[in-house]
Amino acid sequence: MNSYGVGGEPTVEWDVVDSGIGPLLLAATATGLVTVAFHARPAVREATLDQLRIRFGTEPVAAPGSARLAEPSSELAAYFAGEPRDLDLVLDWSLTSGFHREVLRELASGVPYGTVVGYGELAARVGRPEGAQAVGAAMGANPLPVVVPCHRVVESDGGLGGFSGGLETKRQLLALEGVLPQPLF
């Protein structure tokens, strides 16, 4: 028996929720939240579900109202309503490994709401001070954006850097957290 229960087959439940940055696809296993996908319109939704099918060898189940997704949905709704908070959710890290996982775990635990960190500083925190570009790759491959706040990682010169959800989404998240000013219109 493994963390997925008798028979060892994981069940992946998913739903699309509204957010201040557009629809998000949330997916969870019995272990925890496994992925968050930005801009979860049909093409993105299908690509995300394909990735989950391949990784877990099972058909993800659409599960509006799922108990597994209740807390992540609630926490994200409060976050996007402007309640300052770090998202403290149970996570399934199985879509990442090695250096990427190490960097993402440090990011999740060590860069609180309303703060930012440089790519190089984050690399140094995990013992690879020369690894700023590798940190960038880890951010781009983050399966749990917003929850594992890759939007809080910026360039050392103050530039935003890249972002898998698009730079406007990164700006919106940083403005929500008070790091950047809210747009005038």
Side-chain angles (χ1 to χ4, degrees), residues 16-141:
V16 175
V17 299
D18 291 326
S19 78
I21 55 171
L24 299 174
L25 184 145
L26 307 180
T29 66
T31 303
L33 187 67
V34 71
T35 200
V36 175
F38 291 118
H39 315 298
R41 290 173 186 85
V44 170
R45 185 173 56 237
E46 285 310 311
T48 302
L49 295 175
D50 283 347
Q51 177 192 28
L52 293 169
R53 276 182 204 101
I54 291 165
R55 174 59 183 89
F56 291 104
T58 189
E59 184 64 31
V61 177
S66 163
R68 288 183 188 172
L69 297 171
E71 187 177 3
S73 295
S74 174
E75 286 287 310
L76 285 164
Y79 172 85
F80 284 109
E83 293 180 26
R85 62 181 53 227
D86 284 311
L87 300 168
D88 186 25
L89 297 167
V90 177
L91 304 177
D92 179 335
W93 292 95
S94 62
L95 294 181
T96 187
S97 62
F99 178 75
H100 285 196
R101 184 182 292 185
E102 187 178 356
V103 168
L104 292 171
R105 283 181 177 264
E106 173 59 29
L107 175 63
S109 65
V111 184
Y113 181 95
T115 65
V116 294
V117 65
Y119 292 93
E121 181 184 339
L122 190 54
R125 286 187 189 185
V126 296
R128 297 243 330 251
E130 75 293 345
Q133 285 184 323
V135 166
M139 297 303 102

